[in-house]
Amino acid sequence: AVPDHAVKMYAESETRASMVFQCAKICQNLSKNVSRDFLKSDNHEWETLVAGEAQGSLVFFETMEDHTMAQNEGSVSGDKILLLRRATGDEEVSASGDGVKGVVLMHELPHLSHLAIRARQEGVVFATCTNEEEINKLMEGLVGKYVKMDASQQKVIVSETERPKVQQVVEPATTGGPAFHEAGGNGHRSLDIKKTSFLLAVGTRGSTRETCGAKAAQCGELQRMSADFPASPYKVPRGVCLPFGSMELVLDMQPRDARGQWEANLSKMDRLLGSNSGGQELDEACKSLREMIESLDVPRDFVDHSICSHFDPSGSLIARSSANVEDLKGMSGAGLYDSILNLDVNDPESVAEGVKKVWASLYTRRAVLSRHKAGIRSQSEACMAVLVQEMVASEHAFVLHTADPILSEEKERYVYAELVRGQGETLASGMQGTPYRLRIEKATGKVEILAFANFSEVDYSKDPFTQEPQRLVELGEKLCTLGEQLETQFGEPQDIEGALSEGSIYVVQSRPQE
């Protein structure tokens, strides 16, 4: 029974005495000097994810959830810039509370993570800082003061500024993409869908936006495009979709008027949101709805014959959200709803559990608040279809934007890609580290390697793209071709997610970039 403090002290002393640690410290210092002296960066400790200018009180929180709790308690208000110690990548900036104009995060974050994408779409200035000295300056000198945050690709400056005498109150935006229309002139949005009258599953190529949501419909279009062109640079996983209204039909099959309880909980949620009650009552209402949905009894025969029978029995499945409030222009909902991985195709109960969890993710606090702030009139208007696809044995996962989101000018000239080993959760989440980053010029196909992957939990030193950078260049050329093809097909810049497996490129999703 060695005391914990003795174990920690011994382990730290051994680590710091090792040659590996000493070499790492030398490399760290060399990296800073190279950035300062050769890249001519004024503050190389910073990295800008969303450029712009923001003003507000600089407030420190461990996480964005802590900010939400403080907002509910009324201890913070007005325009603010959040200084966060860590992020998971699942956060929604606007749903965390009103008045957030900028974010400074104390660790690296993939530029195409869900959190970064949502901040970019919401116009929230976002930067990361990994230098302890810079962070201490913010913590000790500026927290609690009114500051100006000026972030560009060249530098990030946070400095004290004069607080305006009267702060302008900005109402939440109520304009949206083509899936929304104004209802009754009240600024709210209503959502047009068609719900199924029968419990069934349709192939992705038969999915439409009105019946199965934008994600499933887009996957169906990707399948058609891939099949129609034998020389297509990508493949699309096979899939089926449970259309809108399937959850309601299963509710009708339950005893004790489950449908009525569900509708009553939705009405209660609308009342709470209408009265700006975003605290414990809302949390309890969301939890009650999720527990109700996850406890539903989905007919085993239906899952077996309508879903599982369409897939290779030796494979695994993934259940993905396809809501009428995501993957839309102006409302991507990136990472807002759940995907359930590694479902056993030979176990209908496992697949049913995955489907129910996707349905239930419609009622997380974050999703509910996000829809409310986007101007959705009632939570009953949000509806969830479930896309079930074969799992790709992903060797590497990528996210590709066909208009470079990092550049402030001429972004349409380039595609921008980030790549990691394994599944895409590393990119989508807030895991600390740097993915492979590529910028490719569309006109020439010239590939610029911006960064090599470096995550603390994964050894990339023996990755083929690290050992042979030319392979990374060749992949960049292929991704550029893929991005241009999909951008042309869909008529606007695309946010594309995919995987590399056994020498092939798989596209699992493509949605409007903005």
Side-chain angles (χ1 to χ4, degrees), residues 433-507:
T434 303
Y436 293 108
R437 288 176 177 153
L438 305 175
R439 175 176 289 137
I440 310 100
E441 187 175 18
K442 294 177 181 177
T444 64
K446 180 181 178 181
V447 179
E448 180 182 2
I449 301 176
L450 302 176
F452 284 87
N454 177 25
F455 286 92
S456 59
E457 299 180 14
V458 182
D459 180 11
Y460 277 89
S461 64
K462 297 181 180 179
D463 190 278
F465 291 124
T466 299
Q467 295 188 330
E468 300 179 55
Q470 181 59 32
R471 296 181 62 173
L472 198 56
V473 171
E474 293 170 358
L475 174 63
E477 295 170 347
K478 294 178 181 178
L479 292 180
C480 183
T481 300
L482 165 64
E484 288 189 275
Q485 179 178 327
L486 296 187
E487 183 179 64
T488 300
Q489 177 67 26
F490 293 118
E492 59 186 332
Q494 294 291 295
D495 171 3
I496 303 163
E497 296 182 15
L500 309 181
S501 180
E502 298 180 348
S504 297
I505 297 177
Y506 285 82
V507 175

